[in-house]
Amino acid sequence: MRIFAVIMFALILGAVPASAWEEYIYLDQGVAISFPAKPQAMKSTYDSTLAKGLPSMIYSAEDDHVVYKLTVVDLTSRPDAGANFVNDAAYKLIREGDVLFTDFTRVYQNERSIHGVTVVVDRKDGTRVRTSLYYNKSRLYIAGATVLPARSDKDMTTPSRYDQTIRFPPDGRFD
């Protein structure tokens, strides 16, 4: 009887679809990141207190009441202000609600390191957003996962998985 129960349990687990995260490489944007579903891409503009109408690309996907979004802002016209744009975007986030967590992050080790900041905020609209911000090679990268109110488990680990998959090729190639 135990063998039958183990076999049934294994069959049930095998029938449940696993979340199929896949890495998407955007060579023209100098970044790779994993999404749980195929992201949509759209051109946009980015406004901050430092500049208005900066060209940007937004890649987004929604899965299980979580919106995953990568915004890449072109700062080639302002390459000396990268740190200011990172701090301005982080400041905007912390003003949106209650800050639960902040951390200084990095991608890669040693001389290849690209440092950034991660902020987790409970917004007034009932959403929780986890966002990591980086500046690299004249681009501002904003990788955010927004847990919508329809999802009751706001402490889930999946949003942190998203922003931790970001990669920047030091030599412009991902191979």
Side-chain angles (χ1 to χ4, degrees):
M1 195 64 166
R2 286 186 187 172
I3 293 174
F4 179 75
V6 170
I7 291 171
M8 289 305 295
F9 183 72
L11 288 174
I12 289 171
L13 284 180
V16 176
S19 185
W21 284 75
E22 184 176 335
E23 183 178 64
Y24 291 85
I25 297 173
Y26 303 106
L27 288 175
D28 60 329
Q29 302 297 328
V31 68
I33 194 164
S34 295
F35 283 93
K38 183 174 171 72
Q40 301 295 313
M42 71 176 212
K43 289 184 179 185
S44 186
T45 57
Y46 180 80
D47 294 333
S48 80
T49 59
L50 303 171
K52 306 284 186 228
L54 294 167
S56 65
M57 281 297 296
I58 298 173
Y59 306 93
S60 63
E62 184 174 341
D63 183 57
D64 198 20
H65 304 293
V66 180
V67 176
Y68 301 91
K69 183 164 77 169
L70 173 65
T71 303
V72 182
V73 182
D74 183 353
L75 297 177
T76 52
S77 64
R78 313 270 317 246
D80 58 332
N84 290 338
F85 277 95
V86 169
N87 289 332
D88 185 66
Y91 183 73
K92 180 182 175 189
L93 283 167
I94 66 172
R95 305 284 295 168
E96 293 179 354
D98 296 323
V99 177
L100 302 177
F101 176 81
T102 58
D103 191 18
F104 295 99
T105 58
R106 73 177 176 189
V107 178
Y108 305 120
Q109 304 293 321
N110 57 43
E111 71 276 355
R112 293 177 36 185
S113 293
I114 298 166
H115 294 268
V117 63
T118 297
V119 179
V120 179
V121 175
D122 271 349
R123 292 178 173 160
K124 295 171 184 144
D125 65 2
T127 61
R128 175 174 290 171
V129 63
R130 177 190 170 98
T131 305
S132 288
L133 306 139
Y134 297 94
Y135 175 77
N136 187 44
K137 297 183 180 176
S138 299
R139 290 187 181 96
L140 171 65
Y141 298 92
I142 305 169
T146 303
V147 182
L148 302 174
R151 178 160 185 109
S152 60
D153 179 16
K154 291 206 181 344
D155 290 325
M156 61 187 283
T157 60
T158 309
S160 64
R161 174 183 180 177
Y162 172 66
D163 64 308
Q164 291 177 11
T165 66
I166 198 164
R167 296 189 305 132
F168 307 100
D171 59 357
R173 299 174 4 171
F174 284 96
D175 54 349

Coordinates of all heavy atoms in Angstrom, one line a residue, residues 23-27 29-34 70 141 165-169 174:
E23 N 15.8 32.4 -19.6 CA 16.6 33.6 -19.7 C 16.4 34.2 -21.1 O 16.4 33.5 -22.1 CB 18.1 33.3 -19.5 CG 19.0 34.5 -19.6 CD 20.4 34.3 -19.4 OE1 21.1 33.5 -20.2 OE2 21.0 34.8 -18.4
Y24 N 16.3 35.5 -21.1 CA 16.1 36.3 -22.3 C 17.3 37.2 -22.4 O 17.7 37.9 -21.5 CB 14.8 37.1 -22.3 CG 13.6 36.2 -22.5 CD1 13.1 35.6 -21.3 CD2 13.1 35.9 -23.7 CE1 12.0 34.7 -21.4 CE2 12.0 35.0 -23.8 CZ 11.5 34.4 -22.7 OH 10.4 33.6 -22.8
I25 N 18.0 37.1 -23.6 CA 19.2 37.9 -23.8 C 18.9 39.1 -24.7 O 18.3 38.9 -25.8 CB 20.3 37.0 -24.4 CG1 20.7 35.9 -23.4 CG2 21.5 37.9 -24.8 CD1 21.7 34.9 -24.0
Y26 N 19.2 40.3 -24.3 CA 19.0 41.5 -25.1 C 20.3 42.1 -25.3 O 20.8 43.0 -24.6 CB 18.1 42.5 -24.3 CG 16.7 41.8 -23.9 CD1 16.5 41.4 -22.6 CD2 15.8 41.6 -24.9 CE1 15.3 40.8 -22.3 CE2 14.5 41.0 -24.6 CZ 14.3 40.6 -23.2 OH 13.1 40.0 -22.9
L27 N 21.0 41.6 -26.4 CA 22.3 42.1 -26.7 C 22.4 43.6 -27.0 O 23.3 44.3 -26.5 CB 22.8 41.4 -28.0 CG 23.2 39.9 -27.8 CD1 23.6 39.3 -29.1 CD2 24.4 39.8 -26.8
Q29 N 20.7 45.8 -25.6 CA 20.6 46.5 -24.3 C 21.7 46.1 -23.3 O 21.7 46.7 -22.2 CB 19.2 46.2 -23.7 CG 18.0 46.6 -24.5 CD 18.0 48.1 -24.8 OE1 18.4 48.9 -24.0 NE2 17.5 48.4 -26.0
G30 N 22.6 45.2 -23.7 CA 23.7 44.8 -22.8 C 23.2 44.1 -21.5 O 23.9 44.2 -20.5
V31 N 22.2 43.3 -21.6 CA 21.6 42.6 -20.4 C 21.0 41.3 -20.8 O 20.5 41.1 -21.9 CB 20.6 43.6 -19.7 CG1 19.4 43.8 -20.5 CG2 20.3 43.1 -18.3
A32 N 20.9 40.4 -19.8 CA 20.2 39.2 -19.8 C 19.5 39.0 -18.5 O 20.0 39.4 -17.5 CB 21.1 38.0 -20.1
I33 N 18.2 38.5 -18.5 CA 17.5 38.3 -17.3 C 16.4 37.2 -17.6 O 16.0 37.0 -18.7 CB 16.8 39.6 -16.9 CG1 16.3 39.5 -15.4 CG2 15.7 40.0 -17.8 CD1 15.9 40.8 -14.8
S34 N 16.1 36.5 -16.5 CA 15.1 35.4 -16.7 C 13.7 35.9 -16.3 O 13.5 36.6 -15.4 CB 15.5 34.2 -15.8 OG 16.7 33.7 -16.2
L70 N 11.5 44.7 -16.6 CA 12.8 45.2 -16.7 C 12.7 46.5 -17.6 O 12.2 46.5 -18.7 CB 13.7 44.2 -17.4 CG 15.1 44.8 -17.8 CD1 15.9 45.1 -16.5 CD2 15.9 43.7 -18.6
Y141 N 19.4 50.3 -15.4 CA 18.6 49.0 -15.4 C 17.7 49.0 -14.2 O 18.2 49.1 -13.0 CB 19.5 47.8 -15.4 CG 20.3 47.7 -16.7 CD1 21.6 48.3 -16.7 CD2 19.9 47.2 -17.8 CE1 22.4 48.2 -17.8 CE2 20.7 47.1 -19.0 CZ 21.9 47.6 -18.9 OH 22.7 47.6 -20.1
T165 N 18.6 37.2 -11.3 CA 19.0 36.5 -12.5 C 19.7 37.5 -13.5 O 20.1 37.0 -14.6 CB 17.9 35.8 -13.2 OG1 16.9 36.7 -13.7 CG2 17.2 34.8 -12.3
I166 N 19.7 38.8 -13.2 CA 20.2 39.7 -14.2 C 21.7 39.5 -14.4 O 22.5 39.2 -13.5 CB 19.9 41.2 -13.7 CG1 20.0 42.2 -14.9 CG2 20.8 41.6 -12.5 CD1 19.4 43.5 -14.6
R167 N 22.1 39.7 -15.7 CA 23.6 39.6 -16.0 C 23.9 40.7 -17.0 O 23.1 41.0 -17.9 CB 23.9 38.2 -16.7 CG 23.7 37.0 -15.9 CD 24.2 35.7 -16.5 NE 23.6 35.4 -17.8 CZ 24.4 35.1 -18.9 NH1 25.7 35.0 -18.8 NH2 23.8 34.8 -20.0
F168 N 25.1 41.1 -16.9 CA 25.7 42.1 -17.8 C 27.0 41.5 -18.4 O 27.9 41.3 -17.6 CB 26.0 43.4 -17.1 CG 24.8 44.0 -16.3 CD1 24.8 43.8 -14.9 CD2 23.8 44.7 -16.9 CE1 23.7 44.3 -14.2 CE2 22.8 45.2 -16.2 CZ 22.7 45.0 -14.8
P169 N 27.1 41.4 -19.7 CA 28.3 40.8 -20.2 C 29.5 41.8 -20.2 O 29.3 42.9 -20.7 CB 28.0 40.4 -21.7 CG 26.9 41.5 -22.0 CD 26.2 41.7 -20.8
F174 N 27.4 37.1 -24.4 CA 26.9 36.2 -23.3 C 27.3 34.8 -23.4 O 26.8 34.0 -22.7 CB 25.3 36.3 -23.4 CG 24.8 37.6 -22.8 CD1 24.5 38.6 -23.6 CD2 24.6 37.7 -21.4 CE1 24.0 39.8 -23.1 CE2 24.2 38.9 -20.9 CZ 23.8 39.9 -21.8

